[in-house]
Amino acid sequence: MDRKYPALLLRWPSPEKLADADGSLEDTLRPLGMQANRAKTLRAMSKVLEDGEWAAPQDIPGVGPYALACWRIFVERELPVDHAEVLVEE
């Protein structure tokens, strides 16, 4: 992905442009595999970001547990709880 990311940003530099991307988005993503699914998710994600239709990261298409955990750590400054450690202390 790191080799495709700059090309993606040059071609579609904003959520508005990516939301309206044509079939060449699939061509750009083809080397990564699952290009149809990835393109569909990127378009949906871009549309939600463009319209401001989200209140929490979970409202954005394509945001799963990993992305949500990153949001909590880097945006909300919330460190994850080590559940194994909590169980040992109890």
Side-chain angles (χ1 to χ4, degrees):
M1 179 66 189
D2 50 327
R3 291 189 307 196
K4 292 296 172 187
Y5 190 64
L8 189 87
L9 288 181
L10 282 173
R11 181 90 189 250
W12 301 283
S14 68
E16 296 81 16
K17 301 240 187 252
L18 191 54
D20 295 328
D22 60 10
S24 60
L25 178 57
E26 281 84 350
D27 294 337
T28 302
L29 298 171
R30 188 173 314 285
L32 303 174
M34 298 175 48
Q35 60 273 8
N37 288 338
R38 291 174 193 268
K40 180 180 176 184
T41 300
L42 283 171
R43 285 185 185 103
M45 177 185 289
S46 298
K47 183 73 174 142
V48 168
L49 292 173
E50 175 187 8
D51 295 342
E53 298 174 356
W54 64 284
Q58 306 90 302
D59 299 338
I60 303 170
V63 172
Y66 182 84
L68 182 57
C70 291
W71 175 275
R72 288 182 176 147
I73 291 168
F74 296 111
V75 175
E76 296 177 359
R77 301 284 187 211
E78 186 180 299
L79 294 177
V81 174
D82 183 344
H83 296 285
E85 190 174 297
V86 171
L87 291 174
V88 170
E89 289 177 7
E90 292 177 354

